[in-house]
Amino acid sequence: MLTKKVKKRILFLVSIVFLTAVSIFFIFKVLNDNLLYFKTPSEIKKDENLDFQRAIRIGGMVKQNSLSATSKEIKFIITDMKNEIIVSYSGAIPNLFAEGKGVVAEGKLKDRNYFIAEKILAKHDENYMPPELKKNVK
Amino acid sequence: MFNFLLPSRIYLLIEKTLKFINSVFFPILLIGLTFALVISPPDYIQGDSVRIMYLHVPSAWIGLACFASMAFLSILNFIFKTKNFFLINKSLAPIGLLFTCLAIITGSLWGKPTWGAFWVWDARLTSMMVLMFFYFFLILSFKFIKDQDKLVKVSSLITILGSINLPIIKFSVDWWTTLHQPASISLGKSSKIDPSMLYPLILMLLVFLLFSALIFLMKYKTEIIRIKKKRIKSL
């Protein structure tokens, strides 16, 4: 059924798709650091050439009972259940920002454990449920 | 091969299907919207902005599904030179573009109250934007390349190479850290969406699918008429 021409076209298609996929794979491999939208506290801890001048994003969970607010700033702890980073921030926070919920903070590291945020984004998780159900779960 | 899809044979069938979809579309749309906007409960944390999901998720699915089927047909078309697959692709592309744009727009409307930003450059949002550009270039090629043989080759290659982007979109939330949440519904796992919200979502998916089918059949019909007109002229 497959004539010579058809076989030739199949070969052409397979090779061009394969080449493109492989090159994209290597581009992603090189760019991997930039493709990550945020780093977790554990990754910050492991990172040996941290740049304290550059703005970065860190993300994780707002630790329970870690949130404290004064008139000037709010402070909380971002955790990924293994490592923690203290974040200080002054400015408007999104509605969904809360203890025990996901958060992404944009700003600069002061040292390995202290982060000064300039912007805060709330990260929503993949769970959807009505409020009554949530009460029952608790 | 593929004789059952020949334009002249399928024309009457298209007419019948169009009539049927037309008769059921509006009742189903009304039921779907009632469930999505009124009956379904607000979310425990997002409140009423969860209702955007009922538009956003089906749009994104259809945007992806359109491109996947176009890629499949393009491969067959490129290898076996079946002309009417090209017509099907030409009719599918605008639907895909519409729903991809809709997914991006509804997503950013949801992002502002939820995340605190309309747009962020994370892997999921960026790869979705790349998909939108692929649709865009595809439609531009339909409009501006006049030579038919060249057009079929160019558009098939754009579609086939663009389909590499599809797994990237799907798995972007697993491969990299993103602000976008990971999938709530995946095959073989229990859904992370409560049934009271899942059923309206499925209903809205049905509505969007019917709408896509409606637009697709109308567009395909036009393409068939256009070809027949050309043949009559050339006689």
Side-chain angles (χ1 to χ4, degrees), chain A residues 19-44:
Chain A
L19 281 177
T20 323
V22 167
S23 44
I24 287 177
F25 176 77
F26 280 113
I27 291 172
F28 278 176
K29 197 115 199 181
V30 173
L31 288 180
N32 198 26
D33 253 14
N34 298 320
L35 289 169
L36 296 173
Y37 188 68
F38 59 81
K39 288 181 168 175
T40 59
S42 298
E43 280 165 342
I44 297 281

Side-chain angles (χ1 to χ4, degrees), chain B:
Chain B
M1 220 178 175
F2 310 123
N3 264 348
F4 61 97
L5 277 172
L6 276 185
S8 48
R9 295 189 193 186
I10 212 168
Y11 191 83
L12 280 175
L13 191 67
I14 290 179
E15 290 273 87
K16 270 185 198 160
T17 322
L18 267 178
K19 260 188 197 146
F20 173 71
I21 296 179
N22 262 328
S23 62
V24 296
F25 177 68
F26 278 100
I28 295 184
L29 173 70
L30 279 181
I31 296 170
L33 281 180
T34 320
F35 269 97
L37 298 181
V38 184
I39 297 176
S40 74
D43 186 61
Y44 75 105
I45 168 162
Q46 304 164 56
D48 277 327
S49 56
V50 69
R51 301 186 197 285
I52 297 174
M53 173 194 66
Y54 302 120
L55 302 182
H56 175 77
V57 173
S59 303
W61 281 345
I62 291 175
L64 291 181
C66 259
F67 209 93
S69 23
M70 283 166 65
F72 179 66
L73 291 179
S74 288
I75 291 171
L76 290 182
N77 190 6
F78 195 86
I79 293 170
F80 299 109
K81 304 279 167 199
T82 325
K83 279 275 150 52
N84 58 306
F85 285 166
F86 171 72
L87 294 184
I88 295 179
N89 275 357
K90 209 176 162 187
S91 322
L92 275 175
I95 302 170
L97 179 66
L98 169 77
F99 281 112
T100 307
C101 290
L102 200 62
I104 291 175
I105 293 167
T106 51
S108 61
L109 288 180
W110 179 84
K112 186 67 191 173
T114 318
W115 298 335
F118 280 113
W119 182 266
V120 293
W121 291 102
D122 81 346
R124 171 58 73 82
L125 277 68
T126 311
S127 57
M128 205 61 189
M129 188 179 232
V130 170
L131 178 71
M132 190 185 79
F133 280 126
F134 268 110
Y135 274 123
F136 193 66
F137 285 127
L138 210 54
I139 288 172
L140 279 188
S141 77
F142 292 151
K143 287 262 188 278
F144 288 112
I145 300 178
K146 290 284 177 256
D147 179 3
Q148 188 68 23
D149 287 342
K150 203 175 149 198
L151 172 57
V152 171
K153 263 185 200 158
V154 170
S155 66
S156 312
L157 274 182
I158 293 179
T159 320
I160 294 166
L161 292 182
S163 68
I164 298 176
N165 189 27
L166 296 179
I168 297 176
I169 296 177
K170 167 75 184 135
F171 295 111
S172 55
V173 286
D174 305 325
W175 292 342
W176 303 293
T177 55
T178 56
L179 188 59
H180 192 286
Q181 61 265 40
S184 300
I185 303 167
S186 27
L187 290 178
K189 279 183 212 158
S190 65
S191 143
K192 303 264 178 60
I193 300 180
D194 189 71
S196 61
M197 297 169 167
L198 187 61
Y199 293 121
L201 180 64
I202 292 169
L203 207 58
M204 284 309 284
L205 176 67
L206 180 69
V207 169
F208 277 32
L209 279 175
L210 280 178
F211 180 74
S212 312
L214 204 65
I215 302 286
F216 166 72
L217 289 174
M218 281 176 357
K219 186 94 168 72
Y220 191 46
K221 205 173 106 184
T222 323
E223 295 294 334
I224 293 173
I225 292 173
R226 198 175 282 162
I227 275 195
K228 296 213 162 158
K229 208 173 129 196
K230 246 188 217 162
R231 277 189 199 143
I232 290 171
K233 265 187 193 163
S234 64
L235 276 177

Side-chain angles (χ1 to χ4, degrees), chain A residues 2 28 62 69 72 80-81 94 96 102 106 113 122-124 126 135 138:
Chain A
L2 299 180
F28 278 176
V62 182
K72 269 190 185 159
D80 59 358
M81 308 305 164
L96 262 65
E106 207 175 309
N113 298 314
K123 184 170 164 30
H124 185 255
E126 67 271 35
K135 272 176 215 149
K138 272 176 182 171

Side-chain angles (χ1 to χ4, degrees), chain A residues 34-96:
Chain A
N34 298 320
L35 289 169
L36 296 173
Y37 188 68
F38 59 81
K39 288 181 168 175
T40 59
S42 298
E43 280 165 342
I44 297 281
K45 206 128 277 181
K46 267 189 287 174
D47 199 344
E48 271 159 22
N49 34 9
L50 273 176
D51 187 352
F52 292 100
Q53 300 306 313
R54 231 180 98 208
I56 56 165
R57 294 189 201 93
I58 58 171
M61 205 87 109
V62 182
K63 198 182 176 190
Q64 292 287 0
N65 306 321
S66 74
L67 188 64
S68 66
T70 61
S71 57
K72 269 190 185 159
E73 56 164 12
I74 62 166
K75 259 189 184 167
F76 57 92
I77 294 172
I78 288 187
T79 170
D80 59 358
M81 308 305 164
K82 293 188 197 94
N83 290 294
E84 296 174 346
I85 287 180
I86 304 165
V87 179
S88 100
Y89 172 69
S90 51
I93 51 169
N95 292 338
L96 262 65

